[in-house]
Amino acid sequence: MTNQESVQIGPVAIARLGREAAIHRLLAVPGSGSRLAVAFANAHGLLLAMDDPAFAKTLSRFLVLNDGIGAEIGARVLSGTGFEDNLNGTDFVPALLEAAPHGTRVFLFGARPEVVEKAASIFAARHPAVCICGWRSGYFGEDEIPQIVADINAARPDILLVAMGNPRQEFLIERLWADLTVPLALGVGALFDFTAGEVTRAPSVLRHNGLEWVYRLWQEPRRLGQRYTTGIIRYLWKILCLKLSGKSARA
C-alpha cells in the first residue's frame, strides 16, 4: 500500500478503507484466483504488535482494518487524519455477509461448540443468501489440526471466520494458510459470542461514541481490567513516543 492507502501505527500498516470500499475489496477475492487474510486492529492488538515482533510480522501478511477508538486516536496523532469508518469486526462481518453474493459459502471456526453452532444458526437465519457450509469449535489438540484443515477444505468455503481472539487467531490463520484452499479468511475475535448472545453488546450510544470498551470492562473486569487500564495507558504512551520521535514505524 502507498502512504495514502494506509496509516502506519507502530509496526502495523492499517488500510484506509471506508466500510463500503472494504466490503467491495473483500468480496472481490473469492473467485478471483487471489487469496487474502484479514485482521482487525484495536488498541489491544496494536499494543500486542508493538510488544511482540512475531505478531507484528504476522500482521504484515494480513490486510489490517481499523477497529475502535484506539486505532482512530493512533491514526489522528501520527498522521493527522482518522479513518472514514470504524470497521470493528462485530459490525463489519454481518455487513459483509449481508452484501455477499447469493450462495457464498462461509465456515465458522472458534468459540465453544455450543456457541459456534448457535452462531452458525443465527447467521444462516439472518443472511439467507449465504450458505453456512460448516463450523468447528476453537478447542482442539495439536494432533487434530490436519483433520481440521481437511474438513475446512472439504466444505469449500469462500470465507473462513476464525474467532479465537488475537493474537491466537492470526497466528493460526498464518500457520494453516499454505494448507488451506479458502480464498478469504478473517480473524473475528468475540464475534461468535456476541452473535450467540453469550456476551451482550454495549448500548448504541456507547458504541457510536467509541466507548464500547467501557461497557466490556464493566462486564468482565477481571479478564479485561489490565487490558483496559494499564494497557490503554501503555498504548497511549507508545503513541506519544512515536509522535515525538517522528518515526511511526518504530515500536
Side-chain angles (χ1 to χ4, degrees):
M1 295 181 185
T2 67
N3 289 336
Q4 289 72 35
E5 294 173 329
S6 67
V7 58
Q8 194 78 26
I9 301 180
V12 182
I14 303 181
R16 286 194 181 279
L17 290 171
R19 180 182 299 270
E20 294 305 317
I23 289 173
H24 178 78
R25 179 165 181 181
L26 269 57
L27 292 181
V29 173
S32 70
S34 62
R35 303 179 71 207
L36 182 66
V38 179
F40 296 89
N42 57 18
H44 174 64
L46 290 167
L47 184 60
L48 287 175
M50 292 175 182
D51 289 340
D52 184 358
F55 186 43
K57 186 176 181 180
T58 292
L59 289 182
S60 72
R61 302 184 179 101
F62 283 62
L63 172 69
V64 182
L65 301 178
N66 61 294
D67 177 355
I69 190 66
E72 178 72 12
I73 290 172
R76 287 185 178 275
V77 171
L78 296 174
S79 73
T81 307
F83 296 99
E84 181 178 339
D85 295 307
N86 176 15
L87 303 183
N88 72 86
T90 308
D91 294 320
F92 179 82
V93 174
L96 179 75
L97 298 183
E98 190 62 28
H102 183 84
T104 296
R105 300 173 66 82
V106 181
F107 194 104
L108 280 59
F109 183 16
R112 301 194 311 276
E114 66 276 15
V115 172
V116 66
E117 183 174 3
K118 185 175 180 181
S121 297
I122 292 172
F123 279 139
R126 290 178 180 173
H127 310 287
V130 166
C131 172
I132 304 299
C133 62
W135 59 85
R136 175 53 163 93
S137 84
Y139 294 83
F140 54 88
E142 185 72 18
D143 59 327
E144 297 178 79
I145 289 180
Q147 187 59 53
I148 291 171
V149 170
D151 290 343
I152 293 173
N153 287 340
R156 297 181 293 106
D158 300 297
I159 302 173
L160 172 65
L161 304 178
V162 182
M164 298 179 188
N166 52 30
R168 186 188 176 205
Q169 62 196 16
E170 289 82 15
F171 281 141
L172 185 64
I173 291 171
E174 181 185 44
R175 178 183 176 186
L176 304 184
W177 195 240
D179 296 319
L180 290 170
T181 57
V182 60
L184 180 62
L186 294 84
V188 296
L191 174 64
F192 301 168
D193 292 297
F194 283 126
T195 302
E198 292 294 303
V199 180
T200 57
R201 295 294 304 277
S204 60
V205 65
L206 293 180
R207 298 203 307 269
H208 294 156
N209 287 282
L211 296 174
E212 187 165 10
W213 65 271
V214 176
Y215 188 79
R216 294 295 313 283
L217 177 59
W218 175 78
Q219 285 180 308
E220 302 181 77
R222 276 193 169 186
R223 188 175 75 84
L224 300 176
Q226 186 174 4
R227 178 190 301 188
Y228 288 141
T229 53
T230 58
I232 287 178
I233 293 170
R234 289 185 60 237
Y235 173 74
L236 295 175
W237 174 252
K238 284 178 177 285
I239 293 296
L240 177 61
C241 290
L242 290 170
K243 177 65 174 179
L244 293 175
S245 72
K247 298 179 179 179
S248 62
R250 189 173 73 187

Tab-separated table of all heavy atoms in Angstrom, residues 41-85:
chain	number	residue	atom	x	y	z
A	41	ALA	N	-7.559	-4.355	13.824
A	41	ALA	CA	-6.606	-3.842	14.806
A	41	ALA	C	-7.266	-2.841	15.731
A	41	ALA	O	-7.622	-1.742	15.318
A	41	ALA	CB	-5.416	-3.197	14.099
A	42	ASN	N	-7.433	-3.232	16.989
A	42	ASN	CA	-7.844	-2.285	18.017
A	42	ASN	C	-6.617	-1.924	18.853
A	42	ASN	O	-5.495	-2.362	18.559
A	42	ASN	CB	-8.976	-2.857	18.879
A	42	ASN	CG	-8.594	-4.180	19.530
A	42	ASN	OD1	-7.425	-4.531	19.636
A	42	ASN	ND2	-9.598	-4.920	19.973
A	43	ALA	N	-6.807	-1.137	19.902
A	43	ALA	CA	-5.672	-0.706	20.711
A	43	ALA	C	-4.935	-1.900	21.310
A	43	ALA	O	-3.696	-1.931	21.345
A	43	ALA	CB	-6.135	0.239	21.816
A	44	HIS	N	-5.684	-2.890	21.780
A	44	HIS	CA	-5.062	-4.078	22.371
A	44	HIS	C	-4.195	-4.814	21.355
A	44	HIS	O	-3.045	-5.176	21.645
A	44	HIS	CB	-6.155	-5.008	22.911
A	44	HIS	CG	-5.648	-6.318	23.417
A	44	HIS	ND1	-4.809	-6.430	24.496
A	44	HIS	CD2	-5.877	-7.590	22.978
A	44	HIS	CE1	-4.533	-7.703	24.719
A	44	HIS	NE2	-5.170	-8.421	23.814
A	45	GLY	N	-4.719	-5.024	20.154
A	45	GLY	CA	-3.954	-5.718	19.130
A	45	GLY	C	-2.733	-4.932	18.688
A	45	GLY	O	-1.665	-5.502	18.446
A	46	LEU	N	-2.881	-3.618	18.583
A	46	LEU	CA	-1.743	-2.783	18.197
A	46	LEU	C	-0.659	-2.812	19.271
A	46	LEU	O	0.537	-2.867	18.959
A	46	LEU	CB	-2.210	-1.352	17.949
A	46	LEU	CG	-3.055	-1.162	16.691
A	46	LEU	CD1	-3.732	0.207	16.706
A	46	LEU	CD2	-2.192	-1.304	15.441
A	47	LEU	N	-1.060	-2.807	20.533
A	47	LEU	CA	-0.083	-2.892	21.618
A	47	LEU	C	0.618	-4.240	21.604
A	47	LEU	O	1.840	-4.318	21.812
A	47	LEU	CB	-0.773	-2.661	22.961
A	47	LEU	CG	0.129	-2.615	24.195
A	47	LEU	CD1	1.157	-1.490	24.076
A	47	LEU	CD2	-0.698	-2.443	25.466
A	48	LEU	N	-0.136	-5.322	21.342
A	48	LEU	CA	0.488	-6.635	21.224
A	48	LEU	C	1.551	-6.640	20.127
A	48	LEU	O	2.637	-7.202	20.301
A	48	LEU	CB	-0.571	-7.696	20.922
A	48	LEU	CG	-1.518	-8.110	22.042
A	48	LEU	CD1	-2.571	-9.071	21.499
A	48	LEU	CD2	-0.753	-8.758	23.185
A	49	ALA	N	1.238	-6.017	18.996
A	49	ALA	CA	2.185	-5.966	17.884
A	49	ALA	C	3.412	-5.136	18.231
A	49	ALA	O	4.528	-5.443	17.800
A	49	ALA	CB	1.505	-5.416	16.636
A	50	MET	N	3.214	-4.061	18.998
A	50	MET	CA	4.342	-3.243	19.426
A	50	MET	C	5.258	-4.006	20.384
A	50	MET	O	6.470	-3.809	20.390
A	50	MET	CB	3.831	-1.968	20.097
A	50	MET	CG	3.134	-0.998	19.158
A	50	MET	SD	2.436	0.419	20.072
A	50	MET	CE	1.637	1.322	18.751
A	51	ASP	N	4.654	-4.889	21.185
A	51	ASP	CA	5.419	-5.652	22.167
A	51	ASP	C	6.042	-6.922	21.584
A	51	ASP	O	7.039	-7.418	22.107
A	51	ASP	CB	4.517	-6.049	23.340
A	51	ASP	CG	4.132	-4.873	24.232
A	51	ASP	OD1	4.845	-3.844	24.192
A	51	ASP	OD2	3.129	-4.987	24.949
A	52	ASP	N	5.425	-7.480	20.550
A	52	ASP	CA	5.822	-8.793	20.030
A	52	ASP	C	6.159	-8.706	18.539
A	52	ASP	O	5.254	-8.669	17.703
A	52	ASP	CB	4.681	-9.789	20.245
A	52	ASP	CG	5.045	-11.209	19.817
A	52	ASP	OD1	6.161	-11.421	19.320
A	52	ASP	OD2	4.187	-12.105	19.982
A	53	PRO	N	7.440	-8.701	18.182
A	53	PRO	CA	7.821	-8.623	16.767
A	53	PRO	C	7.245	-9.757	15.928
A	53	PRO	O	6.958	-9.567	14.738
A	53	PRO	CB	9.352	-8.690	16.811
A	53	PRO	CG	9.718	-8.194	18.174
A	53	PRO	CD	8.614	-8.672	19.073
A	54	ALA	N	7.042	-10.932	16.524
A	54	ALA	CA	6.487	-12.056	15.768
A	54	ALA	C	5.049	-11.764	15.344
A	54	ALA	O	4.646	-12.076	14.220
A	54	ALA	CB	6.538	-13.336	16.604
A	55	PHE	N	4.279	-11.156	16.243
A	55	PHE	CA	2.906	-10.807	15.893
A	55	PHE	C	2.877	-9.692	14.854
A	55	PHE	O	2.073	-9.715	13.920
A	55	PHE	CB	2.141	-10.386	17.143
A	55	PHE	CG	0.675	-10.138	16.914
A	55	PHE	CD1	-0.086	-10.991	16.141
A	55	PHE	CD2	0.049	-9.031	17.483
A	55	PHE	CE1	-1.445	-10.764	15.929
A	55	PHE	CE2	-1.302	-8.798	17.285
A	55	PHE	CZ	-2.052	-9.662	16.503
A	56	ALA	N	3.768	-8.725	15.006
A	56	ALA	CA	3.865	-7.642	14.021
A	56	ALA	C	4.193	-8.204	12.639
A	56	ALA	O	3.616	-7.779	11.626
A	56	ALA	CB	4.927	-6.635	14.446
A	57	LYS	N	5.096	-9.179	12.596
A	57	LYS	CA	5.470	-9.795	11.314
A	57	LYS	C	4.287	-10.543	10.710
A	57	LYS	O	4.053	-10.490	9.496
A	57	LYS	CB	6.649	-10.739	11.517
A	57	LYS	CG	7.196	-11.326	10.230
A	57	LYS	CD	8.436	-12.172	10.487
A	57	LYS	CE	8.990	-12.736	9.180
A	57	LYS	NZ	10.208	-13.572	9.433
A	58	THR	N	3.526	-11.230	11.567
A	58	THR	CA	2.335	-11.932	11.085
A	58	THR	C	1.331	-10.948	10.489
A	58	THR	O	0.800	-11.167	9.402
A	58	THR	CB	1.680	-12.717	12.234
A	58	THR	OG1	2.541	-13.798	12.611
A	58	THR	CG2	0.333	-13.287	11.824
A	59	LEU	N	1.076	-9.842	11.179
A	59	LEU	CA	0.112	-8.860	10.677
A	59	LEU	C	0.558	-8.225	9.367
A	59	LEU	O	-0.284	-7.749	8.595
A	59	LEU	CB	-0.131	-7.779	11.726
A	59	LEU	CG	-0.924	-8.191	12.960
A	59	LEU	CD1	-1.127	-6.999	13.893
A	59	LEU	CD2	-2.282	-8.785	12.579
A	60	SER	N	1.848	-8.211	9.117
A	60	SER	CA	2.338	-7.640	7.855
A	60	SER	C	1.870	-8.446	6.652
A	60	SER	O	1.906	-7.956	5.524
A	60	SER	CB	3.868	-7.555	7.873
A	60	SER	OG	4.454	-8.841	7.763
A	61	ARG	N	1.407	-9.664	6.883
A	61	ARG	CA	0.909	-10.527	5.803
A	61	ARG	C	-0.602	-10.463	5.670
A	61	ARG	O	-1.184	-11.162	4.841
A	61	ARG	CB	1.365	-11.968	6.049
A	61	ARG	CG	2.888	-12.121	6.157
A	61	ARG	CD	3.289	-13.583	6.300
A	61	ARG	NE	4.730	-13.704	6.383
A	61	ARG	CZ	5.423	-13.893	7.505
A	61	ARG	NH1	4.775	-13.992	8.646
A	61	ARG	NH2	6.733	-14.002	7.501
A	62	PHE	N	-1.242	-9.654	6.503
A	62	PHE	CA	-2.692	-9.503	6.502
A	62	PHE	C	-3.077	-8.133	5.946
A	62	PHE	O	-2.292	-7.188	6.015
A	62	PHE	CB	-3.240	-9.582	7.936
A	62	PHE	CG	-3.320	-10.968	8.518
A	62	PHE	CD1	-2.183	-11.731	8.709
A	62	PHE	CD2	-4.544	-11.499	8.904
A	62	PHE	CE1	-2.248	-12.995	9.270
A	62	PHE	CE2	-4.633	-12.765	9.465
A	62	PHE	CZ	-3.481	-13.514	9.646
A	63	LEU	N	-4.298	-8.040	5.443
A	63	LEU	CA	-4.927	-6.737	5.259
A	63	LEU	C	-5.493	-6.368	6.623
A	63	LEU	O	-6.349	-7.083	7.158
A	63	LEU	CB	-6.046	-6.801	4.226
A	63	LEU	CG	-6.890	-5.521	4.096
A	63	LEU	CD1	-6.067	-4.390	3.487
A	63	LEU	CD2	-8.149	-5.776	3.283
A	64	VAL	N	-5.018	-5.282	7.206
A	64	VAL	CA	-5.433	-4.900	8.556
A	64	VAL	C	-6.417	-3.738	8.466
A	64	VAL	O	-6.133	-2.708	7.839
A	64	VAL	CB	-4.218	-4.510	9.418
A	64	VAL	CG1	-4.671	-4.172	10.839
A	64	VAL	CG2	-3.189	-5.636	9.441
A	65	LEU	N	-7.569	-3.906	9.116
A	65	LEU	CA	-8.608	-2.881	9.148
A	65	LEU	C	-8.700	-2.280	10.545
A	65	LEU	O	-8.423	-2.952	11.540
A	65	LEU	CB	-9.958	-3.476	8.741
A	65	LEU	CG	-10.029	-4.115	7.354
A	65	LEU	CD1	-11.411	-4.712	7.111
A	65	LEU	CD2	-9.677	-3.120	6.263
A	66	ASN	N	-9.103	-1.033	10.619
A	66	ASN	CA	-9.169	-0.324	11.905
A	66	ASN	C	-10.375	-0.747	12.720
A	66	ASN	O	-11.463	-0.965	12.190
A	66	ASN	CB	-9.211	1.182	11.675
A	66	ASN	CG	-10.420	1.621	10.875
A	66	ASN	OD1	-10.538	1.275	9.697
A	66	ASN	ND2	-11.323	2.367	11.478
A	67	ASP	N	-10.171	-0.857	14.033
A	67	ASP	CA	-11.230	-1.299	14.936
A	67	ASP	C	-11.194	-0.437	16.195
A	67	ASP	O	-10.312	-0.586	17.035
A	67	ASP	CB	-11.007	-2.771	15.299
A	67	ASP	CG	-12.020	-3.305	16.302
A	67	ASP	OD1	-12.854	-2.520	16.793
A	67	ASP	OD2	-11.958	-4.503	16.616
A	68	GLY	N	-12.128	0.488	16.311
A	68	GLY	CA	-12.318	1.188	17.561
A	68	GLY	C	-11.562	2.484	17.728
A	68	GLY	O	-10.804	2.927	16.865
A	69	ILE	N	-11.761	3.062	18.912
A	69	ILE	CA	-11.236	4.386	19.212
A	69	ILE	C	-9.723	4.399	19.328
A	69	ILE	O	-9.068	5.406	19.030
A	69	ILE	CB	-11.896	4.924	20.514
A	69	ILE	CG1	-11.574	6.402	20.735
A	69	ILE	CG2	-11.486	4.089	21.717
A	69	ILE	CD1	-12.167	7.323	19.701
A	70	GLY	N	-9.116	3.273	19.739
A	70	GLY	CA	-7.667	3.233	19.874
A	70	GLY	C	-6.955	3.429	18.551
A	70	GLY	O	-5.996	4.205	18.443
A	71	ALA	N	-7.420	2.720	17.520
A	71	ALA	CA	-6.837	2.885	16.189
A	71	ALA	C	-7.086	4.294	15.662
A	71	ALA	O	-6.220	4.890	15.008
A	71	ALA	CB	-7.402	1.843	15.226
A	72	GLU	N	-8.269	4.827	15.949
A	72	GLU	CA	-8.606	6.190	15.498
A	72	GLU	C	-7.669	7.219	16.134
A	72	GLU	O	-7.149	8.110	15.449
A	72	GLU	CB	-10.057	6.500	15.862
A	72	GLU	CG	-10.525	7.895	15.495
A	72	GLU	CD	-10.716	8.104	14.002
A	72	GLU	OE1	-10.703	7.104	13.248
A	72	GLU	OE2	-10.883	9.268	13.591
A	73	ILE	N	-7.446	7.093	17.434
A	73	ILE	CA	-6.531	8.014	18.121
A	73	ILE	C	-5.132	7.896	17.543
A	73	ILE	O	-4.471	8.908	17.259
A	73	ILE	CB	-6.522	7.735	19.634
A	73	ILE	CG1	-7.854	8.150	20.258
A	73	ILE	CG2	-5.362	8.475	20.315
A	73	ILE	CD1	-8.005	7.736	21.705
A	74	GLY	N	-4.650	6.671	17.354
A	74	GLY	CA	-3.319	6.467	16.799
A	74	GLY	C	-3.170	7.106	15.432
A	74	GLY	O	-2.162	7.761	15.141
A	75	ALA	N	-4.181	6.920	14.578
A	75	ALA	CA	-4.115	7.485	13.229
A	75	ALA	C	-4.111	9.012	13.268
A	75	ALA	O	-3.343	9.659	12.542
A	75	ALA	CB	-5.284	6.976	12.398
A	76	ARG	N	-4.956	9.593	14.101
A	76	ARG	CA	-5.032	11.055	14.165
A	76	ARG	C	-3.742	11.663	14.712
A	76	ARG	O	-3.262	12.684	14.204
A	76	ARG	CB	-6.227	11.475	15.031
A	76	ARG	CG	-7.564	11.264	14.352
A	76	ARG	CD	-8.703	11.809	15.189
A	76	ARG	NE	-9.981	11.651	14.502
A	76	ARG	CZ	-10.473	12.502	13.621
A	76	ARG	NH1	-9.762	13.598	13.305
A	76	ARG	NH2	-11.633	12.295	13.041
A	77	VAL	N	-3.188	11.046	15.744
A	77	VAL	CA	-1.960	11.584	16.341
A	77	VAL	C	-0.783	11.453	15.391
A	77	VAL	O	0.013	12.386	15.214
A	77	VAL	CB	-1.658	10.874	17.680
A	77	VAL	CG1	-0.273	11.254	18.195
A	77	VAL	CG2	-2.720	11.229	18.720
A	78	LEU	N	-0.661	10.296	14.743
A	78	LEU	CA	0.537	10.019	13.937
A	78	LEU	C	0.445	10.519	12.507
A	78	LEU	O	1.460	10.784	11.876
A	78	LEU	CB	0.822	8.512	13.944
A	78	LEU	CG	1.170	7.916	15.313
A	78	LEU	CD1	1.296	6.402	15.224
A	78	LEU	CD2	2.454	8.534	15.863
A	79	SER	N	-0.782	10.653	11.967
A	79	SER	CA	-0.901	11.078	10.575
A	79	SER	C	-1.714	12.355	10.403
A	79	SER	O	-1.732	12.932	9.317
A	79	SER	CB	-1.544	9.962	9.737
A	79	SER	OG	-2.930	9.848	10.026
A	80	GLY	N	-2.414	12.750	11.455
A	80	GLY	CA	-3.245	13.948	11.365
A	80	GLY	C	-4.639	13.692	10.852
A	80	GLY	O	-5.482	14.592	10.852
A	81	THR	N	-4.919	12.457	10.420
A	81	THR	CA	-6.231	12.127	9.855
A	81	THR	C	-6.704	10.791	10.384
A	81	THR	O	-5.936	9.825	10.403
A	81	THR	CB	-6.170	12.055	8.318
A	81	THR	OG1	-5.599	13.262	7.817
A	81	THR	CG2	-7.562	11.858	7.732
A	82	GLY	N	-7.963	10.738	10.789
A	82	GLY	CA	-8.531	9.484	11.252
A	82	GLY	C	-9.061	8.649	10.100
A	82	GLY	O	-8.748	8.893	8.928
A	83	PHE	N	-9.881	7.669	10.431
A	83	PHE	CA	-10.440	6.763	9.428
A	83	PHE	C	-11.856	7.188	9.044
A	83	PHE	O	-12.562	7.819	9.828
A	83	PHE	CB	-10.457	5.333	9.969
A	83	PHE	CG	-9.090	4.766	10.232
A	83	PHE	CD1	-8.573	4.753	11.524
A	83	PHE	CD2	-8.325	4.259	9.199
A	83	PHE	CE1	-7.310	4.236	11.778
A	83	PHE	CE2	-7.065	3.740	9.444
A	83	PHE	CZ	-6.551	3.736	10.734
A	84	GLU	N	-12.241	6.824	7.850
A	84	GLU	CA	-13.577	7.185	7.359
A	84	GLU	C	-14.672	6.521	8.182
A	84	GLU	O	-15.684	7.141	8.503
A	84	GLU	CB	-13.704	6.771	5.884
A	84	GLU	CG	-15.037	7.109	5.257
A	84	GLU	CD	-15.102	6.715	3.794
A	84	GLU	OE1	-14.034	6.549	3.154
A	84	GLU	OE2	-16.233	6.563	3.282
A	85	ASP	N	-14.486	5.237	8.519
A	85	ASP	CA	-15.466	4.483	9.301
A	85	ASP	C	-14.749	3.634	10.333
A	85	ASP	O	-13.578	3.276	10.157
A	85	ASP	CB	-16.296	3.555	8.387
A	85	ASP	CG	-17.152	4.316	7.394
A	85	ASP	OD1	-17.918	5.195	7.835
A	85	ASP	OD2	-17.042	4.025	6.188
